[in-house]
Amino acid sequence: MPNRRYSRLFPLIFLLADMASLNAAFYLANYLRFGQFIYLNDSYATLQIVLNVVWFFIFYFARLQKINRESRLLDHLNKVLTALIINLSVVFALWFAAKPFYYSRQHLFFAYLFFTFFIIGWRSTWHYFIRYYRTQGYNLRTFVVVGYGDLATDLVDYFKQNPGIGYKFLGYFDNESPKEASGKILGPVERIKSFVKKENVDIIFCCLPRLYDKEVKKLIDFAENNLIKIKILSQFSKLGNKNLSIQKYGEIPIINVSAIPLDNQANQLVKRTFDVIFSGLVIIFILSWLIPLIALLIKLESKGPIFFMQQRNGKDNSPFWCYKFRTMVVNQEADSKQATKNDPRITKIGNILRKTSIDELPQFINVFLGDMSVVGPRPHPLKLNLEFQPKIDRFIQRHAVKPGITGLAQAKGFRGETAAFSDMSGRVRLDRFYVKNWSLILDFKIIVLTIVSILRGSENAY
């Protein structure tokens, strides 16, 4: 069955499907807000055009027309959500610049809510469809591996176990013929050129250190002269760090084994944009009326300040002032002793605030100021860090990113007092996982899990 290349049509399909999702969301927002799908108003017709134009440019800026066949669904959705955050930032900037008070904020909220669901829905469906399509023998890419060894066989096994990626293995080439490779090696490296041309091979994988530098250079020249992709397999992949990255000092390539996703400036910008928008909305729509109400209740029950301010360790282990609603009577042990179950220092209103996590809401001010993030490792009091850092390997790695109001550890149930060593080691293990595997979609997942955890209640919330 011929392997026809329809991939060149994918960018147009993706753009049209995204635009269809956006306009369907806009019409649905019209219906919910005005009672009709097509709202005959020049202002809203202009708004619809503006939203389409903005998304058109964001679509190409975020490279949403390109989907690597090797990418997981979560990787792709993270890219989509990143584009949505950038899009919202641009729309809000235009909104505040133009000050169009005649537009309904509720309409815009519904439009982007449905757009988010539609675009995630159709792209998820596409992901599973195209992977199934490839398992049926379509949209395949053929490849050969130069150099036989454990790393090479692991690569081939991976593609065989994941047929949805759509890579078809044709064989190995190696100047040696180990016994275990009997019948698997197609010939020496010098024969690869004729084979690749005859079989229309798409990709050549070169497995180091089975090859000499001169051989690799010749293969690269050959591949580039014949529009064939060539990729290098290195023993560095055995280091177990999924975030290896290549940096260049002049013309010298260096492998960075300590790279994390939030080292990338684009990722930092996206996360910071999300933090500013999210915290700004909470401050305007929740804290603006909640702070006076909680302040009154706190003052009626006990003397002292409304907020409890405590120094905690943030990004790069730098201290900052963390804000909370005061939940205890003023005492000398606030900075040195953790809250315990049935702690007599906790006030009645404080007990409610702690159980519902409302006491943490002032930290959205920390987020807006840039000391914290909405999601990240929870910041510890200075004394707690000094106690556990020498005891837990790579403890300090949790401070490679900004601390958060909630984190993966809290979403998984590690809240409140760290009475046992296992409590803290469990937190740190999840915090380190978050640092190494950050994505915008992981942040959204943690937020949802946190909300569910708060609604269910936790025995550790005291």
Side-chain angles (χ1 to χ4, degrees):
M1 193 169 291
N3 182 22
R4 293 173 182 164
R5 298 289 176 84
Y6 297 109
S7 304
R8 66 190 65 159
L9 299 176
F10 288 179
L12 179 61
I13 293 172
F14 297 158
L15 178 61
L16 292 177
D18 279 2
M19 289 300 191
S21 298
L22 174 59
N23 288 285
F26 192 90
Y27 291 135
L28 193 54
N30 283 347
Y31 182 79
L32 292 177
R33 182 65 182 85
F34 306 114
Q36 50 189 334
F37 288 107
I38 300 177
Y39 182 51
L40 300 177
N41 181 290
D42 291 342
S43 297
Y44 279 86
T46 302
L47 176 62
Q48 186 174 5
I49 293 172
V50 169
L51 295 184
N52 276 271
V53 170
V54 171
W55 184 255
F56 177 84
F57 285 106
I58 296 296
F59 177 89
Y60 285 103
F61 173 78
R63 301 175 66 84
L64 293 183
Q65 78 277 21
K66 295 184 179 293
I67 301 179
N68 293 329
R69 61 177 60 224
E70 300 89 351
S71 298
R72 301 174 303 164
L73 176 61
L74 288 179
D75 295 328
H76 176 59
L77 293 185
N78 181 62
K79 191 176 178 181
V80 172
L81 289 174
T82 298
L84 282 168
I85 293 296
I86 296 173
N87 181 257
L88 275 174
S89 302
V90 173
V91 171
F92 282 151
L94 293 173
W95 187 283
F96 285 113
K99 298 180 180 179
F101 298 110
Y102 42 85
Y103 286 124
S104 167
R105 287 175 293 180
Q106 185 184 39
H107 177 276
L108 192 64
F109 170 78
F110 281 132
Y112 271 96
L113 178 65
F114 291 126
F115 180 38
T116 301
F117 281 118
F118 290 162
I119 195 172
I120 288 177
W122 92 256
R123 284 182 175 263
S124 298
T125 302
W126 173 271
H127 174 86
Y128 289 113
F129 166 77
I130 197 66
R131 292 219 161 186
Y132 172 77
Y133 185 72
R134 288 170 184 151
T135 63
Q136 303 305 302
Y138 300 96
N139 192 236
L140 300 180
R141 298 292 180 268
T142 56
F143 74 97
V144 294
V145 179
V146 182
Y148 183 87
D150 292 340
L151 200 58
T153 55
D154 287 345
L155 177 72
V156 173
D157 289 342
Y158 173 77
F159 288 134
K160 287 181 178 179
Q161 293 165 11
N162 296 273
I165 295 177
Y167 277 2
K168 182 180 179 181
F169 176 59
L170 299 182
Y172 298 99
F173 286 86
D174 200 314
N175 291 330
E176 300 177 7
S177 298
K179 290 182 180 180
E180 65 272 17
S182 179
K184 299 179 181 179
I185 296 179
L186 300 177
V189 176
E190 62 183 20
R191 287 188 55 190
I192 191 173
K193 295 181 181 180
S194 59
F195 180 87
V196 164
K197 289 182 177 180
K198 180 181 177 182
E199 299 295 333
N200 293 319
V201 173
D202 296 300
I203 305 170
I204 300 172
F205 287 95
C206 294
C207 188
L208 301 176
R210 301 289 295 179
L211 300 174
Y212 294 106
D213 290 345
K214 290 183 179 179
E215 289 179 303
V216 174
K217 179 65 171 62
K218 288 179 180 178
L219 283 174
I220 292 174
D221 291 340
F222 166 74
E224 290 182 346
N225 282 321
N226 290 274
L227 293 179
I228 299 170
K229 290 185 178 180
I230 186 164
K231 301 183 180 183
I232 309 295
L233 282 77
S234 168
Q235 296 297 325
F236 280 106
S237 62
K238 293 187 176 181
L239 293 176
N241 188 335
K242 64 175 287 186
N243 295 313
L244 293 174
S245 68
I246 296 178
Q247 298 174 319
K248 293 191 74 174
Y249 294 87
E251 296 300 319
I252 304 172
I254 303 293
I255 296 179
N256 181 3
V257 298
S258 301
I260 60 174
L262 284 172
D263 284 339
N264 183 286
Q265 290 186 345
N267 289 341
Q268 293 175 19
L269 177 61
V270 168
K271 188 167 175 64
R272 180 60 185 152
T273 301
F274 173 74
D275 285 342
V276 170
I277 293 175
F278 196 99
S279 61
L281 292 175
V282 171
I283 291 170
I284 293 171
F285 294 107
I286 298 179
L287 291 184
S288 59
W289 59 266
L290 185 64
I291 287 179
L293 176 62
I294 299 298
L296 178 62
L297 295 174
I298 290 174
K299 284 290 189 180
L300 287 175
E301 186 173 4
S302 62
K303 294 181 180 180
I306 298 166
F307 296 110
F308 172 66
M309 295 173 59
Q310 185 181 56
Q311 276 206 321
R312 300 196 174 188
N313 293 99
K315 188 176 184 294
D316 298 326
N317 212 30
S318 301
F320 71 97
W321 289 103
C322 182
Y323 304 131
K324 297 179 68 173
F325 283 122
R326 181 172 61 85
T327 58
M328 295 183 178
V329 295
V330 177
N331 66 95
Q332 298 298 317
E333 297 179 307
D335 287 321
S336 59
K337 183 180 178 182
Q338 281 188 285
T340 57
K341 197 168 186 177
N342 301 318
D343 196 316
R345 297 174 298 168
I346 299 176
T347 62
K348 292 180 181 178
I349 182 63
N351 186 50
I352 296 173
L353 295 178
R354 296 175 79 94
K355 283 188 175 296
T356 56
S357 296
I358 292 176
D359 62 318
E360 310 284 0
L361 289 181
Q363 286 163 33
F364 280 104
I365 299 172
N366 285 116
V367 174
F368 194 79
L369 294 175
D371 295 322
M372 294 178 63
S373 183
V374 175
V375 180
R378 282 293 298 157
H380 294 153
L382 303 184
K383 183 180 178 182
L384 210 59
N385 270 16
L386 291 174
E387 178 185 350
F388 284 100
Q389 186 173 331
K391 301 177 182 177
I392 300 177
D393 185 38
R394 302 184 188 181
F395 179 95
I396 199 67
Q397 194 174 44
R398 67 193 304 277
H399 293 287
V401 300
K402 289 181 182 179
I405 294 177
T406 186
L408 182 60
Q410 287 65 43
K412 294 291 186 179
F414 288 91
R415 297 180 62 197
E417 183 186 12
T418 51
F421 177 80
S422 59
D423 295 330
M424 181 59 81
S425 62
R427 280 188 182 186
V428 173
R429 175 175 52 82
L430 291 171
D431 288 340
R432 288 179 55 229
F433 177 88
Y434 174 82
V435 170
K436 290 183 176 182
N437 297 275
W438 175 85
S439 68
L440 194 59
I441 199 165
L442 178 59
D443 277 1
F444 281 111
K445 182 178 179 180
I446 290 171
I447 291 171
V448 172
L449 288 175
T450 300
I451 293 172
V452 171
S453 175
I454 291 172
L455 293 176
R456 287 179 177 175
S458 171
E459 59 180 18
N460 294 327
Y462 50 79

